[in-house]
Amino acid sequence: MMDWQAVQVSATLAFLTAGLLLPVGVWLARWLATTQWAGRPVVEALLLLPLLLPPTVIGFYFLLLFGQGSALGAWLAQHDVRLVFSMQGLLLASWLVNLPFMVQPIQRAFSAVPNALREAAWVSGLGPWQTFWRIELPLAWPGLVAGVALTMAHTLGEFGVVLMVGGNIPSETRTLSVAIYDRVQVFDLQAAHVMALALVVVSVLALTLVLAFDRQSQRNRMETGA
């Protein structure tokens, strides 16, 4: 009843999305947590767009930008790069859609690190990079775990962008959420129930991790006297 090929595609997409997004998410989250730039609200608003826009809107503009009917899509096709109905394109779309899920928990974690600690580290002779590795990252790690958990859970359950950008290609772009849709279309509700229940369990576990590590971040903040 479980579509194991779809499970494999979903798991691969989730791991790759989280792995590629984590370094960028850490950099962007720390910058947002520490910058005083006046344009930060604009960046944060753009970052939150995937949470507000329907997935079909994101998928539509992705197709418009990278489809072979566009100049960019035609240029990519000349270089044997296909971002529509392929795992590469699906990964890029998933990376964009999941930015807020990765960045927000990490941003909250870095925001909880008191500036006094950073200043004390600088006074002690540590440079910005050493301060990040020795002071900030050990305090902010719960946010990183929460960001990875949220990103992977959301990737596993994403449907609209996956279907529009990746299509429904077995063993390549058919994810678990698309497989559930297929089963419902042919009234195989028992198989759909098995796969849907698996996604529910993963989502509950991810949210439990997020809440647990959020409490850990709060304890870290209290211990540092923030």
Side-chain angles (χ1 to χ4, degrees):
M1 292 183 186
M2 180 68 74
D3 188 336
W4 292 108
Q5 287 184 339
V7 171
Q8 183 178 2
V9 172
S10 293
T12 300
L13 182 62
F15 277 108
L16 289 176
T17 299
L20 294 173
L21 195 52
L22 182 59
V24 177
V26 170
W27 174 81
L28 183 56
R30 185 187 178 278
W31 178 77
L32 288 171
T34 58
T35 186
Q36 300 299 321
W37 181 48
R40 185 182 71 175
V42 177
V43 176
E44 290 181 313
L46 292 173
L47 185 67
L48 291 173
L49 270 182
L51 298 178
L52 302 177
L53 290 175
T56 49
V57 172
I58 299 174
F60 169 72
Y61 281 112
F62 190 96
L63 294 176
L64 206 62
L65 181 62
F66 294 108
Q68 293 191 9
S70 70
L72 179 58
W75 181 82
L76 290 172
Q78 291 176 358
H79 294 80
D80 296 322
V81 177
R82 183 166 58 94
L83 294 181
V84 175
F85 304 133
S86 69
M87 174 55 81
Q88 293 88 343
L90 188 54
L91 180 59
L92 176 58
S94 179
W95 190 90
L96 294 172
V97 167
N98 281 286
L99 261 174
F101 294 95
M102 179 67 78
V103 171
Q104 283 193 313
I106 303 176
Q107 182 182 348
R108 289 197 301 269
F110 277 117
S111 296
V113 178
N115 285 327
L117 282 180
R118 297 185 180 94
E119 294 169 358
W122 298 335
V123 170
S124 300
L126 295 181
W129 189 246
Q130 292 175 311
T131 301
F132 170 77
W133 279 106
R134 296 186 184 183
I135 306 297
E136 297 179 44
L137 198 58
L139 292 174
W141 69 266
L144 274 67
V145 176
V148 169
L150 274 181
T151 298
M152 293 187 68
H154 183 259
T155 302
L156 289 173
E158 178 58 48
F159 173 73
V161 171
V162 170
L163 190 61
M164 290 193 70
V165 174
N168 191 357
I169 305 173
S171 301
E172 185 174 354
T173 63
R174 180 190 290 168
T175 62
L176 200 54
S177 59
V178 175
I180 293 171
Y181 176 77
D182 286 344
R183 292 299 89 203
V184 172
Q185 290 292 97
V186 297
F187 299 102
D188 187 356
L189 301 184
Q190 189 169 359
H193 172 65
V194 170
M195 292 184 284
L197 184 60
L199 288 181
V200 170
V201 171
V202 169
S203 297
V204 171
L205 290 175
L207 288 173
T208 302
L209 273 176
V210 170
L211 293 173
F213 284 109
D214 189 57
R215 286 196 295 270
Q216 180 63 45
S217 293
Q218 292 176 6
R219 284 196 292 268
N220 288 346
R221 185 172 183 176
M222 292 175 62
E223 290 171 0
T224 55

